[in-house]
């Protein structure tokens, strides 16, 4: 039986804690919190595999007495302190720990976390251990068996929702052998001349070092001070084991680097970045130390492990990597200290233009300094630019000072880094610094005074209008682009099987802005950007198209597209990562692409960082459900918005925002429950979530989450019981596919408010 991931956020508020404890009880655990997701897969022998993620909380065992299972726990992400009697261990990313389920212990997670748990039956493990005394809990350290167990656990957890009984049984047998071998290795590990007390001290010191390996400045005195020991005593501990502090730390770091180099999930990360993450500042020193330890260079080890990329496994990744001299890109981007200081708290009306100083391209970040600070209730006129303006530079950029400042790109450099969620090393993908995989030009962020984690920010769309062309030749007109792109649903299913990308340019008469009419279309031909890099596909945003290379043709004669003006991208900053790709939407909003979020609507988003940090962009003149060819009618838009703040726990808090954990759209006539394949992919998919979300999203998962979110909404907001909610969902709620173009697929549910005209909200 395959596992189904359960999310507490989909359960009515008054049932969340009970539901969370019920799921954890399967593993013999209980918790202090009531938030997170879990997927559990049982084996026929009684073993249980679980993939668990959540916010900071305490987990503890429910003691089962003699003969209880042994729990194996792998920390995917997070920091925790494990206490069992007099034993205390600090746990960090990558730590593998074996725990007794027959005795009491507590694990205090201080941060958001993700962990893989495997509950093993004691019998087979005890038979393998024989009479060798093993004391648990223990962190399985540098043994070969422990090193082999970690990737196997990760692999099983990564596919837990499709894991068959045979696969789990085979994994259970293999892991029992590996864990037994690792435990025997720990039991027989030489401690030199250390006494029992000194050996315990050393294990504590080793755990502290493991949790801080990313700190390049880590020193012996730091650990001594942290653990309440003298530096001299700490030196004697290492001497008793026949090693020194520096060698010990270096070997641990090299092991972590090796694991990442062999992990396909890190194939897109440069060797230098991996070394720097684990504390090696000097690339040459890292390479020498690695070669000495493993008898091959880091690059040679990676070549043996990294799979070939087909160029289309993820949006925005090219088929060839052509290096560009880093000097061609200015050293500082808008996400750095060059951004102007935000204005102080002024009145309640603001204008935020779109310029190189007020936008960020391709990412959101909790570290971005705000370009505007507002009081709750303020109105803002916010300008946005479409990333597709380069499709027709003459009509959509030329003569527009704001657009020219953002799109400025010559052979000497760019005015603004693009795809800022990516590596700053220009040689990684060959397109210049800040080349991640996002595409959207985002205006902001806007800091909302008083917004704190747990609150909800409401963005009311008062009005939206197309941005006029700045070119005097096109006065009174606005323009938009639609691209049948390589990331669209259609790309591998064309009738003639000839893969192509077709761009269609539309004109909007500003005296009749209710419709857009097609001007012409062209098939994308390889385009050389100002750096000389040739783009065979639309793999990088804002490349100015050379129209001497493409053939214009008449298209869609007699057709007019009705206006559905909306901002496809409305986001607060997520807390889970410093730089987040703008393409996949999530709990924080982002690239939602739901046309119902237009004039007169309100978008409610949960706050996860101080000030919220609101950004908007990805203007669409029109869009249909599904966004089937990969884009909408992409258009630069200006909007008037009002920003409100709903404080958590307020006595007058509306039922619709209480406990909100996902985007909610309200129109004058309906509620729109917006859901995705993964409600919080950054939390639930682990350290490589921004890559895995593209591979692990399905419409089925999105529909299941939309169903659960809608059931929760009807029960929490209108006080229905579950059976009543199910009836309403099947008779008066329309479920639709929002988009299949944005990595994290979207499904929405539209609830007509009229059906509740005889019933009040709670």
């Amino acid at each position: 039986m395959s596992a189904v991931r359960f999310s507490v956020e989909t359960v009515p508020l008054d049932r969340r804690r009970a539901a969370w404890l019920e799921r954890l009880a399967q593993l013999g655990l209980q918790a202090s919190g009531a938030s997170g997701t879990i997927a559990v897969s049982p084996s026929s022998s009684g073993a249980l595999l679980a993939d668990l993620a959540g916010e900071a909380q305490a987990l503890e065992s429910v003691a089962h007495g003699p003969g209880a299972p042994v729990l194996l726990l792998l920390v995917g992400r997070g920091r925790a302190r494990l206490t069992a009697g007099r034993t205390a261990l600090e746990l960090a990313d990558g730590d593998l720990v074996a725990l007794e389920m027959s005795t009491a212990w507590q694990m205090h997670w201080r941060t958001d976390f993700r962990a893989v748990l495997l509950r093993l039956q004691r019998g087979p493990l005890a038979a393998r251990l024989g009479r060798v005394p093993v004391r648990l809990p223990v962190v399985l350290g540098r043994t070969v068996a422990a090193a082999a167990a970690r990737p196997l656990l990760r692999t099983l957890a990564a596919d837990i929702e499709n894991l068959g009984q045979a696969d789990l049984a085979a994994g259970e047998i293999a892991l029992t052998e590996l864990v037994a071998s690792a435990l025997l290795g720990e039991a027989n590990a030489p401690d030199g001349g250390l006494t029992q007390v000194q050996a315990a001290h050393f294990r504590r010191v080793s755990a502290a070092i493991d949790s801080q390996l990313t700190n390049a400045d880590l020193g012996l005195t730091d650990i001594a001070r942290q653990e309440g020991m003298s530096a001299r005593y700490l030196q004697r501990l290492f001497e008793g084991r026949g090693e020194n502090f520096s060698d010990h730390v270096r070997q641990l770091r090299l092991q972590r680097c090796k694991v990442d180099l062999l992990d396909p999930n890190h194939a897109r990360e440069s060797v230098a970045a991996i070394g720097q993450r684990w504390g090696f500042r000097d690339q040459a020193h890292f390479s020498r130390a690695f070669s000495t330890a493993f008898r091959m260079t880091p690059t040679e080890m990676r070549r043996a492990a990294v799979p070939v990329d087909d160029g289309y496994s993820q949006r925005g990744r090219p088929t060839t990597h052509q290096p560009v001299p880093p000097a061609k890109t200015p050293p500082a981007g808008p996400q750095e200290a060059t951004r102007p200081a935000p204005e102080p708290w002024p009145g309640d009306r603001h204008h935020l233009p779109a310029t190189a100083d007020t936008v960020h391209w391709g990412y959101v970040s909790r570290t971005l300094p705000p370009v505007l600070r507002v009081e709750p209730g303020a109105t803002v006129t916010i300008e946005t630019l479409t990333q597709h303006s380069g499709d027709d530079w003459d009509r959509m950029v030329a003569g527009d000072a704001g657009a020219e400042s953002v799109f400025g790109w010559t052979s000497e450099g760019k005015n603004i880094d693009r795809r800022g969620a990516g590596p700053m090393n220009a040689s990684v993908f060959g397109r210049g610094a800040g080349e991640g995989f996002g595409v959207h030009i985002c205006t902001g962020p806007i800091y909302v005074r008083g917004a704190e984690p747990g609150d909800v920010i409401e963005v009311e769309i008062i009005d939206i209008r197309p941005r006029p062309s700045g070119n005097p030749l096109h006065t009174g007109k606005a323009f938009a682009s639609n691209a049948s792109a390589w990331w669209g649903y259609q790309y591998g299913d064309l009738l003639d099987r000839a893969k192509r990308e077709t761009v269609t340019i539309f004109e909007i008469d500003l005296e009749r802005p209710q419709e857009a009419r097609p001007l012409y279309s062209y098939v994308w031909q390889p385009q050389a950007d100002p750096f000389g890099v040739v783009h065979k596909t639309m793999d990088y945003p804002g490349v100015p198209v050379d129209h001497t290379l493409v053939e214009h043709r008449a298209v869609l004669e007699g057709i007019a597209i009705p206006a559905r003006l909306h901002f496809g991208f409305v986001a607060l900053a997520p807390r889970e990562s410093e730089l987040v790709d703008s393409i996949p939407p999530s709990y924080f909003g982002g690239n939602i692409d739901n046309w119902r979020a237009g004039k007169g609507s309100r978008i409610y988003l949960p706050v996860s960082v101080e000030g919220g940090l609101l950004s908007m962009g990805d203007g669409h003149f029109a869009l249909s459900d599904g966004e089937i060819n990969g884009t909408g009618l992409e258009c630069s838009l200006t909007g008037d918005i009002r920003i409100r703040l709903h404080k958590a726990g307020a006595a007058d808090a509306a039922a619709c925002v209480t406990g909100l954990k996902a985007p909610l759209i309200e129109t004058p006539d309906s509620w729109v429950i917006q859901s995705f394949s993964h409600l919080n992919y950054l939390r639930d998919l682990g350290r490589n979530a921004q890559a895995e979300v593209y591979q692990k999203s399905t419409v089925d998962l999105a529909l299941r989450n939309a169903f659960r979110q809608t059931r929760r909404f009807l029960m929490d907001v209108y006080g229905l019981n579950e059976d009543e909610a199910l009836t309403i969902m099947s008779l008066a709620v329309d479920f639709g596919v929002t988009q299949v173009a944005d990595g994290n697929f979207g499904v929405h549910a539209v609830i007509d408010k009229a059906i509740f005209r005889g019933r009040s909200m709670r």
Side-chain angles (χ1 to χ4, degrees):
M1 170 179 178
S2 60
V4 175
R5 183 169 293 278
F6 167 80
S7 176
V8 174
E9 286 85 350
T10 63
V11 176
L13 285 170
D14 58 358
R15 302 188 183 191
R16 286 185 181 177
R17 178 161 174 75
W20 186 232
L21 293 179
E22 179 185 346
R23 265 66 180 188
L24 291 176
Q26 299 175 71
L27 300 168
L29 301 175
Q30 56 187 9
S32 64
S35 67
T37 67
I38 185 171
V40 179
S41 180
S43 78
S44 55
S45 69
L48 285 175
L49 176 72
D51 188 13
L52 178 68
E55 298 175 3
Q57 59 189 282
L59 299 179
E60 60 183 75
S61 64
V62 178
H64 293 285
V70 172
L71 186 68
L72 193 64
L73 183 146
L74 175 64
V75 181
R77 175 172 55 86
R79 297 290 183 271
R81 184 174 180 82
L82 171 66
T83 56
R86 296 183 179 181
T87 301
L89 300 171
E90 291 293 331
L91 303 180
D93 298 15
D95 282 339
L96 181 62
V97 60
L99 296 151
E100 285 279 11
M101 296 302 292
S102 59
T103 57
W105 50 262
Q106 285 191 329
M107 188 173 295
H108 294 267
W109 292 98
R110 296 190 295 271
T111 64
D112 289 359
F113 69 92
R114 189 193 183 202
V116 182
L117 295 82
L118 179 64
R119 198 181 72 175
L120 291 171
Q121 293 300 300
R122 179 174 292 274
L125 188 61
R128 180 69 178 80
L129 292 173
R131 299 194 177 193
V132 177
V134 175
R135 298 183 64 184
L136 303 181
V138 62
V139 176
L140 303 180
R142 291 174 287 170
T143 64
V144 172
R150 290 184 182 93
L152 178 53
L153 268 172
R154 289 191 185 102
T155 299
L156 292 173
D159 205 33
I160 191 170
E161 289 163 293
N162 300 303
L163 199 63
Q165 281 289 314
D167 293 326
L168 181 54
E172 178 189 352
I173 293 170
L175 282 163
T176 298
E177 284 293 313
L178 291 172
V179 171
S181 178
L183 288 171
L184 289 170
E186 293 290 337
N188 298 317
D191 282 322
L194 299 185
T195 67
Q196 185 175 3
V197 171
Q198 288 173 328
H201 285 171
F202 185 83
R203 287 193 291 273
R204 199 175 90 201
V205 166
S206 183
I209 292 171
D210 281 352
S211 69
Q212 298 181 63
L213 286 176
T214 57
N215 178 7
D217 297 319
L218 183 64
L220 182 143
T221 55
D222 299 321
I223 296 297
R225 183 169 54 253
Q226 176 184 323
E227 297 302 318
M229 304 173 183
S230 72
R232 179 60 192 140
Y233 177 71
L234 197 55
Q235 287 175 330
R236 288 203 302 270
L237 289 181
F238 282 101
E239 289 168 359
R241 291 176 56 91
E243 59 183 345
N244 61 51
F245 178 85
S246 297
D247 289 343
H248 182 85
V249 171
R250 181 171 59 253
Q251 290 304 314
L252 289 177
R253 285 173 169 158
L254 289 171
Q255 287 290 343
R256 296 290 178 93
C257 291
K258 177 182 177 182
V259 169
D260 284 355
L261 287 166
L262 292 174
D263 188 346
N265 289 330
H266 294 282
R268 298 294 179 183
E269 197 169 8
S270 71
V271 169
I274 290 174
Q276 288 171 359
R277 177 168 66 250
W278 294 113
F280 291 98
R281 282 202 179 103
D282 187 311
Q283 174 66 21
H285 169 66
F286 168 50
S287 185
R288 287 194 302 269
F290 194 95
S291 299
T292 300
F294 303 113
R295 297 185 179 181
M296 67 174 65
T297 67
T299 301
E300 288 169 342
M301 181 164 285
R302 159 162 281 177
R303 284 176 184 153
V306 176
V308 176
D309 182 14
D310 63 6
Y312 294 99
S313 61
Q314 293 185 27
R315 181 173 179 174
R317 296 195 165 172
T319 54
T320 58
H321 301 165
Q322 306 176 40
V324 174
K328 295 232 177 185
T329 300
Q335 69 270 37
E336 300 177 32
T338 55
R339 297 193 79 164
E343 62 181 271
W345 309 104
D348 61 356
R349 296 188 64 85
H350 311 265
H351 177 229
L352 184 56
T355 71
D357 291 329
T358 61
V359 306
H360 45 106
W361 197 326
Y363 67 104
V364 289
S365 173
R366 64 177 188 241
T367 65
L368 267 172
V371 296
L372 179 65
R373 294 174 182 266
V374 302
E375 296 279 2
T379 59
V380 180
T381 296
I382 185 168
E383 299 178 8
T384 67
L385 296 169
T386 174
Q387 63 273 8
H388 282 266
S389 296
D391 296 347
D392 191 326
W393 186 281
D394 180 65
R395 289 176 168 84
M396 301 173 74
V397 178
D400 184 327
E404 288 177 344
S405 76
V406 171
F407 284 89
W409 184 3
T410 70
S411 61
E412 299 304 315
K414 303 170 188 169
N415 286 359
I416 179 173
D417 289 333
R418 307 177 186 195
R419 297 184 163 186
M424 296 303 291
N425 182 348
S427 67
V428 176
F429 295 110
R431 295 168 299 197
E435 48 178 21
F437 312 115
V439 297
H440 306 97
I441 303 173
C442 310
T443 304
I446 300 171
Y447 184 105
V448 182
R449 190 172 192 178
E452 300 172 302
D455 297 341
V456 171
I457 283 179
E458 171 192 331
V459 181
E460 180 186 3
I461 310 297
I462 300 171
D463 194 18
I464 313 180
R465 48 200 172 274
R467 185 183 183 93
S469 174
N471 190 330
L473 296 177
H474 305 293
T475 299
K477 307 291 186 184
F479 298 91
S481 173
N482 173 256
S484 290
W486 69 263
W487 59 84
Y489 195 78
Q490 85 297 335
Y491 195 67
D493 197 12
L494 297 172
L495 291 174
D496 58 9
R497 300 184 181 180
K499 292 180 178 178
R500 64 186 180 275
E501 296 176 288
T502 303
V503 178
T504 306
I505 302 298
F506 287 75
E507 178 183 272
I508 302 119
D509 185 339
L510 295 179
E511 292 187 358
R512 299 180 59 200
Q514 298 82 15
E515 63 181 26
R517 293 187 176 274
L519 281 180
Y520 64 90
S521 72
Y522 59 87
V523 175
W524 180 276
Q525 300 299 317
Q527 300 289 322
D529 68 28
F531 284 175
V533 177
V534 175
H535 300 265
K536 295 181 179 179
T537 62
M538 302 176 72
D539 66 351
Y540 192 66
V543 172
V545 174
D546 182 350
H547 283 254
T548 66
L549 301 178
V550 298
E551 178 183 351
H552 292 190
R553 62 188 185 190
V555 67
L556 296 173
E557 183 177 354
I559 300 294
I561 302 298
R564 284 179 172 174
L565 275 67
H566 66 281
F567 297 103
F569 189 97
V570 182
L572 302 182
R575 69 177 180 274
E576 287 80 4
S577 182
E578 287 192 0
L579 292 169
V580 178
D581 176 354
S582 70
I583 295 173
S586 191
Y587 77 95
F588 55 85
N591 189 27
I592 297 173
D593 282 343
N594 193 318
W595 61 266
R596 295 161 186 84
K599 181 177 178 179
S601 70
R602 302 166 189 251
I603 303 103
Y604 300 91
L605 299 172
V607 177
S608 62
V609 301
E610 181 186 338
L613 300 182
L614 170 68
S615 297
M616 298 178 63
D618 192 30
H620 295 148
F621 183 86
L623 180 70
S624 58
D625 287 342
E627 199 176 12
I628 209 71
N629 76 353
T631 70
L633 191 44
E634 312 287 332
C635 182
S636 297
L637 299 177
T638 297
D640 301 320
I641 64 172
R642 182 176 289 110
I643 302 171
R644 296 184 177 91
L645 178 62
H646 300 269
K647 296 295 293 181
D652 59 348
C656 63
V657 300
T658 302
L660 187 70
K661 294 290 186 178
L664 172 67
I665 301 170
E666 181 185 7
T667 75
D669 302 319
S670 61
W671 296 103
V672 183
I673 311 301
Q674 184 62 62
S675 198
F676 314 103
S677 298
H678 305 279
L679 294 178
N680 185 344
Y681 71 91
L682 294 168
R683 177 192 65 191
D684 298 340
L685 298 184
R687 206 162 82 187
N688 204 37
Q690 296 195 58
E692 290 191 7
V693 67
Y694 288 93
Q695 305 163 16
K696 293 188 173 182
S697 293
T698 67
V699 172
D700 182 66
L701 285 173
L703 179 58
R704 177 66 60 185
N705 281 328
F707 156 73
R708 291 170 170 172
Q709 286 287 91
T710 304
R711 177 179 59 189
R712 179 208 64 80
F713 180 88
L714 291 171
M715 294 176 72
D716 275 347
V717 176
Y718 286 101
L720 304 182
N721 63 40
E722 183 176 18
D723 290 338
E724 291 172 331
L726 297 177
T727 297
I728 292 297
M729 278 193 279
S730 199
L731 300 181
V733 177
D734 291 320
F735 288 82
V737 177
T738 319
Q739 50 76 23
V740 290
D742 298 338
N744 197 7
F745 294 168
V747 167
H748 58 266
V750 181
I751 305 170
D752 189 345
K753 291 179 179 178
I755 67 174
F756 296 103
R757 58 182 174 270
R759 188 185 188 105
S760 300
M761 289 196 298
R762 279 184 165 182

